[in-house]
Amino acid sequence: MFTNILLHLHRMFLRPFLCQMQAQIKIDNANSANNTEPYTKQYGECGAEGEYIHFTPEYLLNDTFIQLYGSRGRVFVHEWAHLRWGVYDEYSEEKPFYYSNGRIEATRCSKNMEGQFYKVTAGGSLQLCRIDPQISLPTDGCTFFPDRNQITNSSIMFLPSLDPVTAFCRENEHNYEAPNMQNIKCGNKATWTVIFEDSVDKDALRSLKPPEYPPPIPSFKVVQRAQRVVCLILDVSGSMAGSIILLQQQAATHFLRIYIEDQARVGIVTFSTDASTLRSLTTIDSDITRENLIKLLPKYAFFMFVMYEDNGDVLGDEIIFLTDGLATDNIAGCAPSAIQSDAIIHTLAFSDKASSALKEMADKTGGKFIYASDELTSNQLMDAFASLTLSTGDYTKEPVQLESVGKRTSDWFNGTVSVDQTVGNKTSFVIIYEIRFPSVYIQSPSGSIYTQTSMSHDGLLKTVTLNIPGTAEPGDWKYSIQTTSNQAFTITVTSQASRDDVPPIIVKTHMNQQFNDGSKPMIVFAEVSQNYRPVINAEVWATLESETGSVHTLQLLDNGAGADTFQGDGIYSRYFTKLVNGRSSLKVRVKNQDVQIRFAASKKSGAPYVPGYVVNGVVQLNPPKPPVSEEPLEVGSFTRTATGESFEVKLSSTTPPNFPPNRITDLSAELQEDTVFLSWTAPGEDLDQGTAKSYEIRWSFDLDMLRNSFSNGHVVNTAAVSPQEAGSDEQHSFNLSFPIQNGTTLFFAVQSEDEQNATSETSNIAQASKILPGTKAPGVSNPGMNLTVIVISVCVVTMVICFIVAVTTWAVRRRKRSAER
């Protein structure tokens, strides 16, 4: 049967194009004026693949940036290590200096990297760095200038711009003390160790042998997305009869009216024991065309027998395949042919009996697999179609789902949807009812009330639709639905950008794994952003519903603790521990009510700006980093919903897994006189949920001892410390049993324990030094340093082809390149 469907698609799809649902290298405009820094979006655990690399056109075309960040090839290797191997930066903009053995050191790797400390004044001259008496470290603005010529060749994750740097830090040269993200997130492991022991390529790299001959000259094929082509494959077998096929019709109608973009080409195929083309590829050129396609959607379950010829190519085109899995055909047997078709296949499973081959087809073709419940109030099928928007990168032209919620009632169904300043065009409210036509009232923020006379009603489809003319008024829109019959309702609200030059706030969500056997925890991610700018201070909730009906809700956090990698990056995360056998769906709801949201700087991982170098004892300054002008954007209250891919759990044991408290990653330490002050974010009983039973705090003069043998450290009395709920701020102060000498550096670490005596991993290792005011720290005065400054002017030269070719090489042959590195 599925092979027959492919024959229809070959006949319908006459022109191929290539596209990616999730581009790993994005060349796009900056997230704000002049913010052209290259960076990688990564928010998984250490060793986990990142999301994407972002280069701006200006960065690729303006050779000035080569001086500021290094050659584009070196920068790309730095970013690739973030993206592919999940390592982190070995410099730190927040903590550029630290104490080690009584000396002030620059945060770097390796420690053999030599250089000098200076502060650059506003006029471009150099000053000796001064010491902040509060922290006994250099004041803000003090900068480490590396020697241009180094005897060390590492590390790429610290300073890829230096010519001698050609390698990653290994264990024998790694700077374990440096307060950088690599040490904090990866347990003080060297980047080389993470790449070879924890990354996605660890198995291949262990058996890798150096090539005997130079690699062949690469060939390139330049492709560009053309017109979008989508085929809806809809199940009309007998098992779909009744309410199920109505849900399919409602969701497909919403997809054709709202989500498929203008000028896309759409075809419709139905199948039961065989397949039939209801409409060959049709260009969406008007609302009339959309409605004509909607009229062809199957309203009843039936059987069809048709034969077709194969005379086309489906490379890069999309198939949306919806089935309850109860048709008599062997979908699993047809999966290999479907995968080899070169189409992107999205599969929507409408029951727990749907074949596992549906997920295989989606995984191997770059599509999405989504499980949708037939419970009307879940609105999962409508949400599933909404998640299949294929972005062009221009979010101002794409629909945004503001609300999707359902309820069963015999009285009132009330709610509020916030329309913010970034949306408002093409705003629609779609109400689906189960039995009888209800009374519907929708009130605008200014008090105007829309009733049924302003809405369209489709009795066969059981939908009521209100399309707001023009641009919807920003503010809180209130809806009230009244019924006297006990029935289910859903409401779905969508909108588009209110201005062509202001992209809307969008939400993306996914799990860190699509399959889990209970041996590792799962993480829920939701990214809230506006034109690459992270949106912070929002309230984010995830709903995870299994096919057996169990529902779990989690508040996702952007606090840099537990499952969350960076605080304030717009990535809201949480561990999911209530694992249930079977398939589960994921839905996220984001809202901001009466709270001022903020936009944060997006760069958390990326090649560093280099202010200059020391050459033959002379500091040569690079041009200053371009300033970032951030224009404030008034947004107001907003709501968003998003659906992620479904995931599957098959527990290897009948006993639910017991996860220990999560690893603490934000432990900090401070010394005041002889008193130690520690602070951290509380872990939970199970990872980042609940409340841990107890803490064990230890300290040492030796970082390696705590790292390799925590139990041998000096124990701290924690009898007075009662763990708080996960996510809370914890603080503990204590005095050691001896006076702390001037110049002493101490290291601290924490482990947590739950009620089942499961122990967490050792926290990041925090350090604190006692430096009395007035103490002169060696290494700051740069004795004998010639203060001559050479400011280099730079000519702007356009350079396009070389680096774009290099990017294509890495994207197409990334595994081979990964192995070579």
Side-chain angles (χ1 to χ4, degrees), residues 110 113 150-156 164-168 173:
S110 76
M113 184 78 67
Q150 299 281 344
I151 60 173
T152 180
N153 67 348
S154 63
S155 168
I156 291 170
V165 171
T166 58
F168 297 96
E173 57 190 355

Side-chain angles (χ1 to χ4, degrees), residues 428-504:
S428 69
F429 293 73
V430 177
I431 295 99
I432 296 176
Y433 60 92
E434 184 179 23
I435 302 172
R436 294 182 181 176
F437 180 40
S439 299
V440 181
Y441 308 92
I442 297 177
Q443 180 177 317
S444 72
S446 62
S448 299
I449 297 178
Y450 296 85
T451 62
Q452 283 93 327
T453 58
S454 306
M455 306 174 190
S456 60
H457 174 225
D458 188 327
L460 294 177
L461 209 56
K462 295 184 178 180
T463 60
V464 182
T465 303
L466 171 64
N467 294 315
I468 306 299
T471 302
E473 181 183 349
D476 289 342
W477 288 71
K478 298 179 180 180
Y479 59 86
S480 297
I481 304 169
Q482 184 183 31
T483 180
T484 57
S485 302
N486 185 15
Q487 60 177 323
F489 296 98
T490 65
I491 183 168
T492 305
V493 184
T494 57
S495 189
Q496 289 192 22
S498 57
R499 291 167 46 183
D500 290 340
D501 59 341
V502 179

Side-chain angles (χ1 to χ4, degrees), residues 217-501:
I217 297 175
S219 60
F220 303 97
K221 180 180 181 181
V222 180
V223 295
Q224 184 176 8
R225 180 186 171 182
Q227 191 177 25
R228 186 183 184 188
V229 181
V230 179
C231 180
L232 297 178
I233 302 179
L234 306 177
D235 189 346
V236 294
S237 59
S239 58
M240 292 284 290
S243 61
I244 298 181
I245 203 163
L246 178 61
L247 288 174
Q248 176 179 265
Q249 185 186 4
Q250 292 165 342
T253 296
H254 193 60
F255 177 76
L256 292 172
R257 280 188 181 146
I258 302 296
Y259 286 99
I260 193 70
E261 62 266 38
D262 291 339
Q263 300 306 312
R265 302 181 73 196
V266 179
I268 301 174
V269 171
T270 58
F271 75 94
S272 177
T273 57
D274 213 324
S276 176
T277 300
L278 296 187
R279 175 57 64 94
S280 58
L281 286 178
T282 301
T283 301
I284 304 294
D285 54 10
S286 67
D287 287 342
I288 294 175
T289 303
R290 293 178 186 272
E291 295 304 318
N292 287 338
L293 285 171
I294 289 170
K295 290 176 183 177
L296 293 173
L297 293 173
K299 303 174 180 62
Y300 309 101
F302 56 92
F303 297 88
M304 302 176 116
F305 301 90
V306 181
M307 294 179 66
Y308 291 93
E309 297 179 355
D310 172 15
N311 62 352
D313 191 346
V314 299
L315 175 65
D317 295 322
E318 293 174 83
I319 299 171
I320 299 176
F321 182 29
L322 189 152
T323 178
D324 65 356
L326 299 179
T328 57
D329 298 271
N330 180 15
I331 295 177
C334 302
S337 299
I339 293 168
Q340 293 174 7
S341 71
D342 290 328
I344 299 171
I345 304 176
H346 310 292
T347 54
L348 308 183
F350 214 19
S351 80
D352 56 0
K353 298 179 178 60
S355 171
S356 59
L358 294 175
K359 186 175 187 312
E360 181 188 6
M361 285 190 287
D363 289 344
K364 293 186 176 180
T365 62
K368 292 183 177 181
F369 167 75
I370 299 177
Y371 164 76
S373 167
D374 59 3
E375 172 58 41
L376 177 60
T377 57
S378 71
N379 213 28
Q380 287 182 3
L381 195 56
M382 291 278 281
D383 295 337
F385 272 96
S387 71
L388 299 181
T389 299
L390 183 64
S391 178
T392 63
D394 183 3
Y395 292 106
T396 63
K397 301 295 190 295
E398 298 171 9
V400 177
Q401 192 175 69
L402 307 187
E403 183 62 286
S404 169
V405 67
K407 182 180 181 180
R408 181 173 294 277
T409 183
S410 57
D411 194 4
W412 287 93
F413 176 26
N414 302 317
T416 300
V417 180
S418 297
V419 176
D420 58 274
Q421 299 280 1
T422 67
V423 294
N425 286 342
K426 297 184 178 180
T427 303
S428 69
F429 293 73
V430 177
I431 295 99
I432 296 176
Y433 60 92
E434 184 179 23
I435 302 172
R436 294 182 181 176
F437 180 40
S439 299
V440 181
Y441 308 92
I442 297 177
Q443 180 177 317
S444 72
S446 62
S448 299
I449 297 178
Y450 296 85
T451 62
Q452 283 93 327
T453 58
S454 306
M455 306 174 190
S456 60
H457 174 225
D458 188 327
L460 294 177
L461 209 56
K462 295 184 178 180
T463 60
V464 182
T465 303
L466 171 64
N467 294 315
I468 306 299
T471 302
E473 181 183 349
D476 289 342
W477 288 71
K478 298 179 180 180
Y479 59 86
S480 297
I481 304 169
Q482 184 183 31
T483 180
T484 57
S485 302
N486 185 15
Q487 60 177 323
F489 296 98
T490 65
I491 183 168
T492 305
V493 184
T494 57
S495 189
Q496 289 192 22
S498 57
R499 291 167 46 183
D500 290 340
D501 59 341

Side-chain angles (χ1 to χ4, degrees), residues 802-816:
C802 291
F803 188 70
I804 292 178
V805 166
V807 168
T808 308
T809 306
W810 283 93
V812 173
R813 306 175 66 197
R814 64 181 191 176
R815 181 169 293 277
K816 182 174 181 179

